[in-house]
Amino acid sequence: MTDQMRIYMAEGTWVVRAAGAVIGESTRALELSGPGGAPVIYFPREDIAMAFLDRSNKQTASPVLGTASHYTIAAKSGPIADAAWSYESPVAGMEAIAGHLAFSLDKVTVERL
C-alpha cells in the first residue's frame, strides 16, 4: 500500500498559522499524496516554533505510515488540542516524513505563500 503513497518537495514557501499567529514557515516542506485523499503538507521541525507545541497523549496508527504522535498548540487564545502530528518512526518507504509535522486543517491554516 505504501507504493501508492508519494512524497514530493512541496513547491514554494508554506506557512502554518494557529489562532492568527504564524508558528512555522518553510521552503523545505514535503507533500504526501495518495489515492482518495487530499495531499498533506509536512513541515520540517526546524521550521516550526516547537516551543508552542506540547506532545499530547494521543497516538494514532496507520498501516501505511506507522504510529503518529499528536501535539497540542499553545495559542494565545487557548490550547488547540491535537492540532499537529508526526510519524517519528514511519514504516519502510515513508522515512522522508520522519522529523516533520503535519497539521489538522480544521484547527489551523496551512497555505502556500
Side-chain angles (χ1 to χ4, degrees):
M1 203 181 240
T2 58
D3 60 336
Q4 297 178 346
M5 305 299 286
R6 300 284 183 253
I7 300 171
Y8 304 97
M9 287 298 299
E11 291 184 22
T13 301
W14 289 82
V15 66
V16 57
R17 291 183 181 87
V22 173
I23 62 166
E25 184 177 312
S26 183
T27 58
R28 303 177 304 133
L30 299 175
E31 180 179 315
L32 176 77
S33 60
V40 177
I41 301 299
Y42 281 81
F43 290 81
R45 285 179 187 249
E46 299 83 22
D47 296 345
I48 299 295
M50 292 300 294
F52 294 101
L53 277 70
D54 295 314
R55 191 172 178 159
S56 72
N57 292 326
K58 182 177 180 180
Q59 288 193 328
T60 54
S62 163
V64 179
L65 299 173
T67 300
S69 298
H70 291 255
Y71 293 81
T72 294
I73 299 172
K76 191 173 185 177
S77 58
I80 305 171
D82 302 319
W85 68 91
S86 177
Y87 292 95
E88 288 150 24
S89 297
V91 299
M94 297 290 111
E95 296 91 351
I97 62 171
H100 288 67
L101 289 156
F103 294 86
S104 295
L105 300 181
D106 61 336
K107 297 182 180 187
V108 302
T109 301
V110 173
E111 62 187 353
R112 183 176 168 191
L113 297 180

